[in-house]
């Protein structure tokens, strides 16, 4: 019996999990990407791109494609997708497990100003002109048009289109991971005095936080949104073990478990 698993991805961990599970012959994996990145990293498993049409659309997909397990391995800030996933799994009667990557915690030397949302980060920059590194992804940077007095350094995987309606903005295209020495050099080259970041967690983008600490630069840190309370793990390894457990306990059946 082949068990069908849908992984909601867009993160390094989703790709790693898919690759880890792809060697198994008893499961069929589909990795779903939101389509926000124009040239996503190549995947080891069949991939679909685009939304589902909300929770109802995802529930319909789960039923129509006979999905046995839904894995939410989306970004920690993809709150709406995670909410839709939890609701759709409940509606379709499909088990769900999630990756909940731990957030970063401030340590000695950090100069964090923590805010609840992107709009609050704009306000936290203050009225005096500053040199700001926006490391947020292209979907959120438009909010900073409300503070055109600052000089912005904007880094994203894909081009920001349209560009910000501000007089001073520099754009960089790059894909992580980003090492601390490189991030320190970047902050120094552009004379950055404040970094705006999401609390993404993980190692791939922590370099800028460590670099800001080393240089004594302020970080405006946007707190994580609330996510649904579903069975979850903090690492790919732990999540893979959860998937193994679900495969064994939910899909093999009593006879198989008894060795009959």
């Amino acid at each position: 019996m082949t068990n069908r698993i849908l992984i909601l991805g867009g993160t390094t961990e989703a790709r790693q999990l898919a690759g880890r599970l792809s060697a198994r012959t008893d499961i069929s994996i589909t990795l779903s990407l939101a389509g926000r990145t124009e040239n996503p990293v190549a995947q080891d498993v069949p991939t679909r791109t685009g939304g589902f049409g909300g929770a109802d659309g995802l529930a319909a997909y789960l039923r129509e494609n006979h999905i046995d397990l839904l894995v939410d391995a989306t970004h920690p800030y993809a709150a709406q997708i995670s909410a839709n996933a939890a609701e759709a799994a409940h509606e379709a009667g499909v088990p769900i497990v999630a990756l909940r990557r731990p957030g970063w915690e401030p340590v000695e030397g950090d100069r964090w100003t923590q805010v609840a949302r992107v709009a609050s980060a704009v306000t936290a920059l203050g009225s005096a002109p500053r040199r700001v590194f926006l490391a947020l992804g292209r979907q959120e940077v438009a909010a900073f048009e409300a503070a055109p007095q600052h000089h912005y350094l904007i880094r994203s995987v894909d081009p920001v289109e349209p560009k910000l309606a501000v007089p001073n903005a520099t754009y960089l295209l790059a894909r992580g991971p980003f090492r601390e020495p490189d991030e320190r050099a970047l902050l120094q080259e552009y004379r950055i005095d404040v970094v705006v970041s999401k609390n993404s967690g993980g190692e791939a983008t922590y370099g800028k936080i460590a670099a800001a600490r080393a240089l004594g630069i302020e970080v405006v840190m946007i707190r994580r949104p609330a996510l649904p309370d579903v069975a979850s793990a903090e690492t790919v390894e732990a999540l893979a073990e959860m998937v193994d457990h679900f495969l064994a306990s939910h899909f093999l059946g009593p006879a198989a478990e008894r060795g009959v």
Side-chain angles (χ1 to χ4, degrees), residues 46-110:
T47 302
R48 69 170 299 282
T49 303
F52 293 92
D56 290 342
L58 178 53
Y61 180 94
L62 297 176
R63 288 189 293 260
E64 291 166 5
N65 291 274
H66 307 290
I67 300 299
D68 296 297
L69 177 65
L70 177 61
V71 179
D72 176 11
T74 57
H75 193 274
Y77 285 76
Q80 188 58 59
I81 298 175
S82 291
N84 289 346
E87 183 179 340
H90 177 75
E91 183 180 333
V94 173
I96 180 173
V97 294
L99 180 74
R100 294 287 188 259
R101 182 196 306 168
W104 300 318
E105 296 291 341
V107 299
E108 185 176 354
D110 280 325

Side-chain angles (χ1 to χ4, degrees), residues 9-254:
T11 59
T12 299
E13 290 92 342
R15 187 170 68 253
Q16 292 172 343
L17 179 67
R20 183 169 180 148
L21 297 175
S22 63
R24 296 184 58 147
T25 59
D26 59 335
I27 57 178
S28 172
I29 299 171
T30 298
L31 180 60
S32 177
L33 304 176
R36 292 179 178 174
T37 300
E38 293 178 0
N39 297 296
V41 176
Q43 313 294 330
D44 297 326
V45 299
T47 302
R48 69 170 299 282
T49 303
F52 293 92
D56 290 342
L58 178 53
Y61 180 94
L62 297 176
R63 288 189 293 260
E64 291 166 5
N65 291 274
H66 307 290
I67 300 299
D68 296 297
L69 177 65
L70 177 61
V71 179
D72 176 11
T74 57
H75 193 274
Y77 285 76
Q80 188 58 59
I81 298 175
S82 291
N84 289 346
E87 183 179 340
H90 177 75
E91 183 180 333
V94 173
I96 180 173
V97 294
L99 180 74
R100 294 287 188 259
R101 182 196 306 168
W104 300 318
E105 296 291 341
V107 299
E108 185 176 354
D110 280 325
R111 296 176 53 208
W112 286 15
T113 299
Q114 299 197 55
V115 297
R117 54 187 63 87
V118 173
S120 302
V122 177
T123 303
L125 293 177
S127 57
R130 306 177 76 179
R131 299 184 66 84
V132 184
F133 178 30
L134 298 181
L136 296 175
R138 59 177 180 161
Q139 281 81 29
E140 290 84 6
V141 297
F144 291 85
E145 290 181 339
Q149 70 272 27
H150 305 299
H151 188 294
Y152 294 106
L153 174 64
I154 302 166
R155 183 170 68 193
S156 59
V157 175
D158 297 313
V160 175
E161 296 291 349
K163 290 184 166 34
L164 266 63
V166 297
N168 295 300
T170 302
Y171 300 87
L172 295 178
L173 294 180
R175 189 193 301 270
F178 301 105
R179 298 170 57 249
E180 179 187 348
D182 298 330
E183 296 290 72
R184 192 182 307 188
L186 180 74
L187 297 179
Q188 290 176 314
E189 177 184 354
Y190 288 93
R191 295 180 288 117
I192 298 299
D193 51 36
V194 58
V195 175
V196 181
S197 174
K198 293 177 178 177
N199 192 337
S200 298
E203 298 179 0
T205 59
Y206 187 70
K208 63 178 176 290
I209 307 303
R213 178 169 60 246
L215 297 172
I217 292 173
E218 179 188 359
V219 175
V220 177
M221 186 69 75
I222 301 168
R223 295 189 186 96
R224 291 186 172 193
L227 296 176
D229 184 15
V230 301
S232 62
E234 293 186 348
T235 65
V236 171
E237 293 73 20
L239 189 58
E241 290 178 5
M242 291 186 73
V243 172
D244 287 341
H245 171 76
F246 271 94
L247 290 171
S249 62
H250 286 71
F251 306 140
L252 291 180

